[in-house]
Amino acid sequence: QNKRLMATNIDYTVGLNEEQVAFQQVATDFSRKEILPHAHKWDQQKIFPSDVLQEAASLGFGGVYVKDDVGGSGLGRKDAAIIFEALARGCVSTTAYLTIHNMCCWMIDEFGTEEQRKQWLPELCSMEKFASYCLTEPGSGSDASSLQTKAELRGDMYYLTGEKAFISGGGRSDVYLIMARTGGSGPKGISCFIVPKESEGISYGSQLDKLGWNSQPTAPVILENCKVPKENMLGMVGMGFKIAMQGLDGGRINIGT
């Protein structure tokens, strides 16, 4: 039955090299055997399939375009699109979360210090820990540069206050990449922070009631003087919006597949 559901007359290997055909086949087989048979149950019962995602990570799908020195697969954007397209044929919702997780991993890999890369990425690439991207707010959706979440430096700690909306993995992920305002209005006043789930001052709203898309939890992330060490800033002060947008540039390719 699963083979029939994934049957198609389209030749997905056209234009791919030998290596790309090989990992496309790995992703297709995994999707057919480990994702598709369970997708309906996951959606109906609102199950986040962490064990299956970790199995996917064991195949190299947790950090597809992260450098291999920290556990990534070191592949390119086209390679990632091939993999996510194959996985999404089993469950779009689960694969969509996986693409967000990969986006967060890339942001740390691309803009993080060596210490940050070594601290966070091995467990993220193995999906021992899960990541979420936090940009959207109740009052700033498409105009993301008008976000209101504030980050105030006091000594060696930043204190974040605000709310993020519609966060995939909200309440379940272990690491949150949070964009917050450290300066004046506009994009140049925004910085990015790596915030662990257990940080003091962070909490999570109720899970959203969605029509489908239920294998990934979605909830507000609430920050009330959330304490974040200043060494958890990703990139430099004022780079947060640039980092967020570059992450989305790749994320849109993933979602588009």
Side-chain angles (χ1 to χ4, degrees), residues 94-115:
T94 303
T95 304
Y97 173 77
L98 183 59
T99 71
I100 294 167
H101 175 89
N102 269 266
M103 177 175 68
C104 293
C105 290
W106 176 83
M107 290 165 66
I108 296 173
D109 190 40
E110 183 71 13
F111 295 100
T113 63
E114 283 303 302
E115 291 76 13

Side-chain angles (χ1 to χ4, degrees), residues 17 19-20 23 60 63-67 72-84 102 106 250 253-254 257:
N17 61 38
E19 182 184 20
Q20 290 169 336
F23 56 65
V64 176
Y65 38 88
V66 170
K67 298 179 187 69
S73 296
L75 298 176
R77 294 292 187 175
K78 181 178 179 180
D79 304 325
I82 294 165
I83 291 167
F84 295 138
N102 269 266
W106 176 83
I253 296 172
N254 297 336
T257 62

Side-chain angles (χ1 to χ4, degrees), residues 1-254:
Q1 181 183 12
N2 292 336
K3 289 184 178 180
R4 289 200 304 272
L5 287 170
M6 295 188 74
T8 177
N9 292 322
I10 299 173
D11 183 357
Y12 287 96
T13 66
V14 171
L16 307 186
N17 61 38
E18 185 175 341
E19 182 184 20
Q20 290 169 336
V21 170
F23 56 65
Q24 180 190 61
Q25 189 60 56
V26 170
T28 298
D29 290 344
F30 183 82
S31 184
R32 179 182 292 121
K33 295 174 184 177
E34 305 298 337
I35 297 178
L36 182 60
H38 310 292
H40 181 264
K41 178 182 176 181
W42 295 342
D43 187 72
Q44 291 292 306
Q45 299 183 20
K46 300 182 179 180
I47 295 170
F48 180 63
S50 56
D51 54 341
V52 174
L53 287 167
Q54 288 166 349
E55 289 178 35
S58 73
L59 299 174
F61 301 156
V64 176
Y65 38 88
V66 170
K67 298 179 187 69
D68 58 10
D69 66 315
V70 286
S73 296
L75 298 176
R77 294 292 187 175
K78 181 178 179 180
D79 304 325
I82 294 165
I83 291 167
F84 295 138
E85 179 182 54
L87 295 175
R89 291 169 67 196
C91 179
V92 173
S93 170
T94 303
T95 304
Y97 173 77
L98 183 59
T99 71
I100 294 167
H101 175 89
N102 269 266
M103 177 175 68
C104 293
C105 290
W106 176 83
M107 290 165 66
I108 296 173
D109 190 40
E110 183 71 13
F111 295 100
T113 63
E114 283 303 302
E115 291 76 13
Q116 289 172 333
R117 293 178 67 250
K118 292 174 181 176
Q119 177 181 355
W120 300 103
L121 288 173
E123 289 183 318
L124 289 174
C125 288
S126 68
M127 299 196 83
E128 181 180 341
K129 291 186 176 180
F130 299 96
S132 288
Y133 175 91
C134 302
L135 176 65
T136 301
E137 298 184 358
S140 60
S142 57
D143 182 18
S145 65
S146 66
L147 65 83
Q148 297 299 308
T149 296
K150 295 186 183 300
E152 181 182 351
L153 181 61
R154 304 176 204 159
D156 292 334
M157 304 292 289
Y158 275 95
Y159 290 78
L160 277 60
T161 300
E163 180 176 338
K164 299 296 181 177
F166 310 117
I167 302 305
S168 295
R172 174 58 184 86
S173 287
D174 305 283
V175 179
Y176 297 83
L177 296 192
I178 297 179
M179 270 47 75
R181 190 164 298 285
T182 50
S185 60
K188 293 184 179 180
I190 297 170
S191 299
C192 180
F193 297 88
I194 306 170
V195 183
K197 178 180 183 177
E198 66 275 8
S199 298
E200 181 182 338
I202 191 170
S203 61
Y204 310 93
S206 300
Q207 291 294 319
L208 300 184
D209 186 16
K210 298 174 290 185
L211 181 62
W213 217 257
N214 287 312
S215 68
Q216 55 167 284
T218 308
V221 174
I222 302 162
L223 306 157
E224 298 174 293
N225 280 317
C226 176
K227 294 175 65 174
V228 182
K230 67 178 182 182
E231 58 265 26
N232 282 26
M233 179 180 286
L234 186 61
M236 303 296 289
V237 174
M239 282 185 62
F241 193 74
K242 174 184 176 181
I243 293 171
M245 292 300 103
Q246 289 196 18
L248 286 180
D249 286 344
R252 290 184 179 112
I253 296 172
N254 297 336

